[in-house]
Every structure is written in structure tokens, then in C-alpha cells.
Amino acid sequence: MTTAVIGTGGLGSVIARRLASGGETVRLASADNESARTLASEIGQAAVVAVGNRDAVQGADAVVLALRFAVLKSVIDEIAHSLTEKIVVVPSNPLSTDAQGKVSHLLPKGKSSGEVLAGWLPAGAHLVMAFGTLSADLFESSSNRSPKPAVLFYATDDERASEEVERLIRTAGFEPVKVGGIEQSGRLEVGGDLHDLVVSPAEARSLIGGV
Ligand SMILES: NC(=O)c1ccc[n+]([C@@H]2O[C@H](COP(=O)([O-])OP(=O)(O)OC[C@H]3O[C@@H](n4cnc5c(N)ncnc54)[C@H](OP(=O)(O)O)[C@@H]3O)[C@@H](O)[C@H]2O)c1
């Protein structure tokens, strides 16, 4: 199967590496494609550098938008016509960091990026919030954990997106656990109770039931 990874920075590069090492073909794109090219040469034949964001989506079963929140809307608008019937996986937290490293929240308190994104996608796209619960370092070090695999939580309102993201999460070396619909996605983001937790499936299920 093939997944487009748009954004090959800190998190997107780790997602692409983990997916490729689980057997997925990845189609990569970044702002100027230099980081995508570097990553593709590191990954090898499982990676293809796309000509641009639209090209990345062509022929892909799913699209991971590993982008900062501030550029998500413009990239979605750019590729909107190609997203119909695609699974759209978004790990973004609604944060921005200024030149001094000061982090600020971009959405009003209580509003999650998942809820906002649901309104930006075209009809027919299958949204799932996933792959953004762990820092890139933790993501890398927790994949293929044994004997108990680590969990990646996800949130979606969409059955097709659930099936596909569970496949992708397993391909990346984790066990999927659904938190609920998009209205629950704030729990996965920075500040949410399930953010940055490396837990087993049993621990994850008890945490979900615990709120
Ligand atoms: N890093 C983490 O540990 C982590 C953990 C959890 C969630 N997240 C979330 O993941 C998202 C990405 O974070 P990050 O740390 O990976 O950010 P990052 O290192 O800044 O990477 C952002 C990527 O987006 C690409 N990009 C920017 N504008 C683009 C455009 N118009 N078209 C295509 N690609 C574009 C950049 O391209 P270039 O490479 O060409 O500059 C870069 O590859 C954020 O929303 C963050 O909240 C990150």
C-alpha cells in the first residue's frame, strides 16, 4: 500500500521511516522538497519523492499531513480536489513557535485542531487525528516495542478512516487504540490527558475508560 507523507520535518520524517520499514511505500513532499529528497535517499526504494503536494497524493491510499498547524489550511486548499475518498491523517497540534522559541496556542481554549480541520476538508475526505500524540523521539524509540507493544491513540468519526489508520499504526510498529470521535481529539493534543504517553494496550483502555 502507498501513503503520501506531506511534511518531512521532525515528525513527518520519523512517520515516513517507520511506515517504510513496516513495508509501506511512501510518497514524500515538503516545502522545497530538499528534506523530502534527503529522507527518500535514506529510506531507499520504498520512498518516492513527489514533484509537489498534489503529485504526492496521486495514487496514495492515505495522506499524512505532517505540517505545522499554520500551513495546514493552505496545503489542504492546494490539494483539496485530490482528497475526495482519501484517508487524511493529521498529527498536528494547534501551536506556533516564534523566532525566540516562544510557543503559543492558536485556537481558543477547548477547541481542538481535529474539530477545526473537519471544517477545512472537502466532502468525501476521511479524517482521522493520529500520529501526533508522541514526540518524534518517543515515537521512534517506542515503535516495535516488545513484549507489549506501545499504543498510538487515534480519533475519528469515520469507519473507513478507522480501518486504514489501524493498518498504518500497526505498520509503524504500534498498537492502535481509538479514543472516540473527532470531538475527543483534544485529548490527544498537547495539554490533553493522553498526550505523550507510552502505554500498553491494557493501560490505554483503562485510561480511556477512566475519564
Ligand atoms: N516534532 C514532534 O516531535 C511532533 C510531535 C507530535 C506532533 N507534532 C506535530 O506535527 C506537525 C509537524 O511538526 P514538525 O515538528 O515535524 O515540524 P517541522 O519539523 O517544522 O516540519 C514541517 C514540515 O512541513 C513542511 N512544509 C512546510 N510548508 C509546506 C508546504 N506548503 N507544503 C509541503 N510541506 C510543507 C516543511 O518542509 P521543509 O522540510 O522543506 O521545510 C517540513 O518538512 C506539527 O503540527 C506538530 O504540532 C510534532
Side-chain angles (χ1 to χ4, degrees):
M1 304 283 276
T2 300
T3 293
V5 179
I6 300 183
T8 50
L11 185 64
S13 60
V14 177
I15 294 172
R17 262 191 237 114
R18 296 317 320 153
L19 289 176
S21 70
E24 192 81 356
T25 297
V26 288
R27 292 180 62 77
L28 307 176
S30 65
D32 65 11
N33 261 2
E34 200 179 315
S35 67
R37 274 192 291 275
T38 306
L39 179 62
S41 61
E42 199 188 296
I43 291 173
Q45 60 179 22
V48 175
V49 184
V51 175
N53 295 334
R54 287 196 194 121
D55 181 52
V57 180
Q58 296 309 314
D61 303 288
V63 184
V64 179
L65 300 177
L67 298 163
R68 294 192 180 209
F69 192 81
V71 301
L72 264 175
K73 176 130 187 4
S74 65
V75 172
I76 287 171
D77 289 346
E78 180 191 346
I79 61 175
H81 72 286
S82 317
L83 292 181
T84 310
E85 295 312 317
K86 289 276 192 284
I87 310 298
V88 181
V89 184
V90 184
S92 298
N93 290 293
L95 303 175
S96 77
T97 310
D98 70 16
Q100 283 71 45
K102 185 169 170 273
V103 176
S104 37
H105 217 88
L106 296 172
L107 295 175
K109 205 170 168 15
K111 193 96 178 154
S112 68
S113 45
E115 290 164 304
V116 172
L117 271 152
W120 290 348
L121 288 172
H126 302 273
L127 172 65
V128 52
M129 298 302 290
F131 285 98
T133 45
L134 299 180
S135 68
D137 288 347
L138 260 187
F139 188 102
E140 184 117 67
S141 62
S142 309
S143 87
N144 294 316
R145 200 176 71 153
S146 101
K148 287 184 187 159
V151 158
L152 280 190
F153 293 105
Y154 71 92
T156 185
D157 294 326
D158 187 300
E159 212 165 294
R160 256 193 69 199
S162 273
E163 278 170 29
E164 177 66 1
V165 84
E166 293 212 352
R167 184 188 73 76
L168 288 173
I169 287 172
R170 290 199 173 95
T171 300
F174 293 85
E175 189 60 25
V177 172
K178 183 172 175 174
V179 171
I182 288 292
E183 86 288 351
Q184 294 292 315
S185 61
R187 295 184 69 184
L188 311 183
E189 295 177 358
V190 168
D193 64 311
L194 302 176
H195 187 77
D196 238 8
L197 291 184
V198 180
V199 290
S200 69
E203 290 165 324
R205 289 194 184 93
S206 94
L207 283 168
I208 287 176
V211 171

